[in-house]
Amino acid sequence: MILEERNTSLFANKTNSYMKICRDSIWQSIRSSNGSIICSGSGFIGNPKTNILQIIAYPDIESWQTSQGAWSSVENSLIKKETVRILRPIDSDSKSSISPEERKNIYEYQKFIIDPVYLNEFTTCFKESIYKNFESLGISFLGIWTLASSSNPLEIIQMTGYDNINHWEECRLQIFDTNNESEELWDREKALRDRLEEITIESSLNLVKSIVI
């Protein structure tokens, strides 16, 4: 599986026109190429609402290449700037498709920069200290990915979905809540989170508002 991350900055008042093209033709072409739209969202916190982020999964590079012609139907007058990157999942729980029940209203897009030598350790620490709480808190895990091409330092992206902004704020507090955990378990999780912080060179976080697929 490969992922396309398409980050599109639109000119003012062009969002509706752009999304109409996506719904009327591009998304249909993606699906006919065996692609699956994991997320489509507009900037909410950290980016303007004219910034459109789309994460699209394909079974292989041939399917991705087949789908690319559909994007030529977007008029240049709509787009100020666009970047397209190929990602690969670094964890087996990363989604290759997503059901209607798993879709959320708000998505967290978090970026980490690390030394490539720590990739496996980073993934383990993330899963065992943070990810394990997602299901009990009603968080929809979309995936954790890195760039398909090798780089140093390495960029890691994780995305998770929430019902609304209050749900996102509550979950961030509860993940660090010690009330329902033994002291030994809390100490281990804290150690893992501390290690995540140690091996992370820098990080950033944006929220995007879901666009109906």
Side-chain angles (χ1 to χ4, degrees), residues 179-195:
N179 292 335
N180 297 319
E181 295 184 342
S182 67
E183 184 175 342
E184 180 180 354
L185 181 58
W186 168 250
D187 287 346
R188 181 176 184 277
E189 289 186 7
K190 183 178 184 303
L192 290 168
R193 286 194 290 266
D194 288 345
R195 183 56 180 159

Side-chain angles (χ1 to χ4, degrees), residues 130-140 167 171 174-175 180-181:
I130 298 176
Y131 170 75
K132 76 180 195 66
N133 296 291
F134 286 175
E135 185 174 356
S136 64
L137 295 175
I139 300 172
S140 177
H167 183 215
C171 288
Q174 290 184 53
I175 285 176
N180 297 319
E181 295 184 342

Side-chain angles (χ1 to χ4, degrees), residues 4-6 18 22 27 39-40 52-56 71:
E4 175 187 285
E5 178 197 82
R6 185 172 290 265
Y18 176 80
C22 287
W27 290 348
C39 175
S40 179
I52 308 298
L53 172 68
Q54 299 193 68
I55 304 292
I56 305 165
W71 294 103

Side-chain angles (χ1 to χ4, degrees), residues 16 31 46 62 98 115 149 186 202:
N16 289 341
R31 292 180 179 114
E62 290 77 15
I98 186 166
D115 187 310
S149 57
W186 168 250
E202 63 179 84

Side-chain angles (χ1 to χ4, degrees), residues 119-137:
L119 177 58
N120 291 337
E121 185 179 6
F122 179 96
T123 306
T124 298
C125 289
F126 178 84
K127 288 194 68 173
E128 296 186 10
S129 68
I130 298 176
Y131 170 75
K132 76 180 195 66
N133 296 291
F134 286 175
E135 185 174 356
S136 64
L137 295 175

Side-chain angles (χ1 to χ4, degrees), residues 161-179:
Y162 302 82
D163 295 333
N164 48 51
I165 190 65
N166 289 334
H167 183 215
W168 175 73
E169 291 173 339
E170 291 167 1
C171 288
R172 289 181 67 83
L173 291 174
Q174 290 184 53
I175 285 176
F176 296 92
D177 184 9
T178 64
N179 292 335

